Amino acid sequence: MLSLNPYRIGFRTIKTAIGMALGIIIAKLLGLDNFASSAILVVLCIKHTKVHSLQAIVSRFVSCTLILILGSIIFSLLGQHAIVLGIIVLFFIPLTVVFKVQEGIVTSCVILLHVFNAPSIDFHLFVNEIELLIVGLGIAFLMNLIMPSLDKNLKAYKKNIEDSFTKIFICFSEKCDNLQHPLDIHFSEIRLTIEKAKSLAFRDVKNHFGRNENSYYHYFDMREQQLELIHRIELMLENVEFKDELLTKLAQLFKEVAENVNSNDYTALRLHSLYEIRLQLDNLELPDSYASLRTRASLIQLLNELEYYLQIKSDFGSLKTYSEAS
């Protein structure tokens, strides 16, 4: 059965609509021929980020200027015929690849058709097309300077991930208190959330011309590394089959970690608690069976993974936003 997506007018759609209208109005007021083509330029240059928009504008301006010069010269020499048009396109497209401006092929073809249909190829035509480019690309650039802040969404992702980590460590603590407690953790969902968060953080970088990194991106990358360690810890807990004295101490440590997941200075205290447990290992009774020995070995390895988890956060430090850093 055919299903329809919910009807929604996004911010990019609004900018495109306003930009197209402005492009046509301004081009018409300037008395330009083919003034409606300025709207095409606006549509093709409205992007999700400022950096991508600027790249598209530069690419289209270079390719359109190139086709305007080539088209004017070749049509003047060989005539404005369909075969000549095809030959120009045949050689022009590989040329855009050489100059790495192939993103402007569609726009360039529009300019080429203007030259093809022009009553006469002269200086007026050249100036008219350049002005069309300036109007359309200029409005697109101004529209793309208006970008919604992504900080709210990034903070929401951060809280979502931290809440998930908190629930996981509470679950680990309960598992240590009761080996029959199930570990129902949806790692695939958390991993997908982190990937979406990193994608949004990368997009935020592209919304700033003078920035080539994003603290949120590094933060989510750090959480992704920690998630892999948490997954390994879960596998080790699943293999614990014998009640060990170490479990009580681990239950308390997991509880402390859960209560301080979103803290920027919790790692030193938690690492101190972990090292205390290591020192107390010498005073614990030795395992007296194969099952208890295997359990103790798994728990010691678990401590190593948890130490690495805490060190990753310690090395990362505090999350500094761009506004705080500048």
Side-chain angles (χ1 to χ4, degrees), residues 8-195:
R8 186 172 68 90
I9 298 177
F11 190 66
R12 185 182 176 191
T13 304
I14 295 173
K15 290 195 299 183
T16 302
I18 295 174
M20 288 180 68
L22 285 175
I24 293 175
I25 291 171
I26 294 174
K28 193 172 182 179
L29 287 174
L30 292 174
L32 301 180
D33 297 329
N34 302 304
F35 57 84
S37 296
S38 61
I40 298 175
L41 293 168
V42 173
V43 173
L44 294 175
C45 291
I46 296 290
K47 301 292 182 180
H48 288 292
T49 68
K50 294 178 183 178
V51 172
H52 288 150
S53 172
L54 183 60
Q55 290 172 345
I57 289 170
V58 172
S59 177
R60 281 173 171 77
F61 186 81
V62 172
S63 61
C64 287
T65 304
L66 185 61
I67 197 67
L68 181 58
I69 296 171
L70 287 176
S72 299
I73 294 172
I74 296 174
F75 280 137
S76 297
L77 294 174
L78 303 179
Q80 293 162 279
H81 305 294
I83 295 177
V84 177
L85 175 69
I87 292 173
I88 293 173
V89 173
L90 183 65
F91 288 98
F92 173 71
I93 292 178
L95 195 60
T96 62
V97 176
V98 171
F99 287 100
K100 298 180 180 180
V101 291
Q102 58 266 35
E103 191 176 2
I105 290 174
V106 175
T107 315
S108 301
C109 288
V110 174
I111 300 298
L112 181 62
L113 290 174
H114 291 173
V115 180
F116 176 74
N117 290 319
S120 62
I121 300 175
D122 52 19
F123 184 71
H124 170 76
L125 173 66
F126 192 88
V127 172
N128 183 86
E129 298 304 311
I130 292 295
E131 288 182 349
L132 270 180
L133 288 173
I134 293 173
V135 171
L137 299 180
I139 290 174
F141 179 73
L142 292 176
M143 289 291 105
N144 273 296
L145 289 178
I146 308 170
M147 286 288 181
S149 174
L150 299 177
D151 280 351
K152 183 178 179 181
N153 293 334
L154 290 169
K155 288 178 181 177
Y157 273 121
K158 177 177 178 289
K159 186 177 186 307
N160 188 336
I161 293 167
E162 289 173 350
D163 288 346
S164 297
F165 276 34
T166 297
K167 292 176 183 177
I168 289 174
F169 282 110
I170 289 174
C171 189
F172 285 171
S173 179
E174 292 172 347
K175 177 71 173 179
C176 290
D177 287 331
N178 178 14
L179 293 179
Q180 304 304 316
H181 184 80
L183 290 175
D184 185 22
I185 303 171
H186 303 287
F187 283 100
S188 59
E189 294 180 8
I190 303 173
R191 194 172 288 110
L192 180 61
T193 300
I194 293 176
E195 288 175 359

Side-chain angles (χ1 to χ4, degrees), residues 224-322:
E224 189 173 44
Q225 296 178 50
Q226 287 186 316
L227 185 65
E228 295 306 314
L229 292 168
I230 292 173
H231 194 189
R232 297 213 293 260
I233 291 173
E234 184 220 24
L235 295 176
M236 292 172 187
L237 279 177
E238 289 283 11
N239 291 328
V240 172
E241 54 188 349
F242 191 85
K243 190 66 178 176
D244 190 282
E245 295 178 62
L246 199 56
L247 285 169
T248 303
K249 303 179 185 301
L250 279 173
Q252 180 59 34
L253 181 56
F254 280 137
K255 185 178 179 182
E256 290 178 11
V257 174
E259 291 171 350
N260 296 276
V261 164
N262 63 344
S263 173
N264 289 326
D265 54 2
Y266 76 93
T267 50
L269 292 173
R270 303 296 76 77
L271 281 168
H272 179 72
S273 299
L274 187 146
Y275 296 145
E276 280 188 342
I277 293 175
R278 281 218 177 115
L279 291 173
Q280 294 169 7
L281 274 172
D282 294 336
N283 299 322
L284 296 179
E285 293 184 6
L286 292 174
D288 55 5
S289 66
Y290 176 73
S292 60
L293 177 63
R294 189 167 59 183
T295 294
R296 178 68 61 82
S298 294
L299 294 178
I300 292 174
Q301 181 60 34
L302 186 153
L303 280 173
N304 293 335
E305 300 292 353
L306 184 58
E307 179 186 16
Y308 190 28
Y309 168 92
L310 294 170
Q311 284 178 340
I312 288 176
K313 180 62 175 69
S314 179
D315 292 341
F316 175 81
S318 302
L319 173 63
K320 296 292 185 181
T321 62
Y322 184 74

